[in-house]
Amino acid sequence: MKKDSAKPKVSIIVPIYGVEKYLEECLDSIVSQTLNNIEIILIDDGSPDSCGKIVDSYAKKDVRIVPVHQNNRGYSATVDRGIKMARGEYIGIIESDDWIEKDMYSDLYADAVKNKTDITKGEFYLYNSSLSGPAKNTVYKNPGLVNLDFAPDSAFSVTEWPEIIAFHSSIWSSIYRSDFVKNIKFSNTPGASYQDLPFMITVMLTADRISIVKKPFVHWRNDPGQNNSTSSKGKKLFLMIDNTKKSLDIVIGSGKYNDVKEAFFAQAFWSNINFFNRISLKYKKEYYDKLR
């Protein structure tokens, strides 16, 4: 594919580590986007498998791909590097074990330009290959909290519709205006896990204009034995409590605490009760005491 000399409309950052089983499906879905003028930044974060070779093979076939190889630095530092490198008007982040619909970035970009947003967010599917029938790939709904179906149809701020915070972090289902998000860094907490929550809280509280495209685009993979953050059962899950506390500090420091506190604590409760239910029995009391 020939390289477009114009500034990319969207830069897509893909942090990559240990996903050789899924990576080609992810990359195929990105290079086939109906929005052609994109930049694809593939960052091999010192992956010990064949991911680096896969990245290079795709880069040889598509000049829109920017291949990067680095020693392992973790998710947050990898995404921060991608954001710093990105040349696009907007920036997206895709997990390397997920895949996306062909019209994702054309639809999100069109809505972002129309509404002059800092963030434009889409819906997503929850995918589990161990299930069968419609349950295998369903549009994600957040039980007991809020769904994006109820979002305003025009641009809004977090104080106008704070429920956006009570949904799901899903930072990979959005695009962010480049000039806006380049001023925001991931929280580089020890363990480099579950840092999407403070990042999501920061961007939502900082953005002046947010919009929602009420259509699912990302297939968020949650396969058994996938060895990702959603399958962990050990003490690594304590990091969610640390990042919840950091997120609360961000909310308090924003001056918008009274506007968003109910939505924030709904998000915090829902995230942490899920982690409490997943964690091994021998750690439950410790998790409970720390969370309390």
Side-chain angles (χ1 to χ4, degrees), residues 75-126:
Y75 181 85
S76 60
T78 300
V79 175
D80 279 343
R81 181 176 183 179
I83 290 174
K84 185 176 181 179
M85 291 175 58
R87 300 183 301 112
E89 297 173 40
Y90 281 81
I91 296 173
I93 303 162
I94 292 296
E95 302 287 310
S96 51
D97 49 5
D98 298 336
W99 79 98
I100 61 179
E101 293 293 310
K102 289 183 178 182
D103 57 355
M104 175 171 175
Y105 288 109
S106 59
D107 286 9
L108 292 182
Y109 178 78
D111 189 90
V113 171
K114 173 185 174 183
N115 287 294
K116 298 180 175 61
T117 59
D118 298 313
I119 309 164
T120 292
K121 188 176 187 68
E123 298 187 80
F124 57 92
Y125 296 96
L126 180 63

Side-chain angles (χ1 to χ4, degrees), residues 142-280:
N142 200 337
L145 289 179
V146 66
N147 290 310
L148 298 184
D149 299 339
F150 305 117
D153 292 324
S154 57
F156 60 92
S157 69
V158 72
T159 56
E160 292 169 327
W161 198 63
E163 288 88 344
I164 185 67
I165 285 181
F167 182 57
H168 185 282
S169 296
S170 51
I171 63 172
W172 28 260
S173 67
S174 306
I175 60 172
Y176 311 87
R177 185 171 56 80
S178 183
D179 291 345
F180 163 76
V181 79
K182 280 181 179 288
N183 295 316
I184 298 171
K185 288 187 176 294
F186 265 81
S187 164
N188 197 13
T189 51
S193 293
Y194 316 118
Q195 295 158 337
D196 51 348
L197 179 60
F199 180 82
M200 182 274 287
I201 294 294
T202 301
V203 296
M204 291 298 175
L205 289 170
T206 308
D208 291 324
R209 296 176 66 81
I210 305 164
S211 66
I212 304 295
V213 176
K214 299 174 183 179
K215 179 179 175 181
F217 298 107
V218 179
H219 298 263
W220 178 38
R221 190 187 301 273
N222 284 260
D223 282 353
Q226 188 178 339
N227 195 32
N228 65 357
S229 62
T230 60
S231 62
S232 177
K233 298 182 183 299
K235 294 190 76 170
K236 178 181 179 180
L237 295 181
F238 289 157
L239 292 169
M240 174 53 84
I241 301 175
D242 298 335
N243 281 307
T244 301
K245 176 60 169 64
K246 184 170 186 65
S247 298
L248 176 58
D249 292 341
I250 293 168
V251 171
I252 292 171
S254 73
K256 298 176 182 177
Y257 176 79
N258 288 332
D259 295 306
V260 305
K261 61 183 178 182
E262 291 182 5
F264 172 78
F265 283 112
Q267 161 68 252
F269 171 80
W270 186 255
S271 298
N272 281 281
I273 200 65
N274 282 336
F275 278 46
F276 176 79
N277 289 337
R278 274 169 41 202
I279 202 167
S280 299

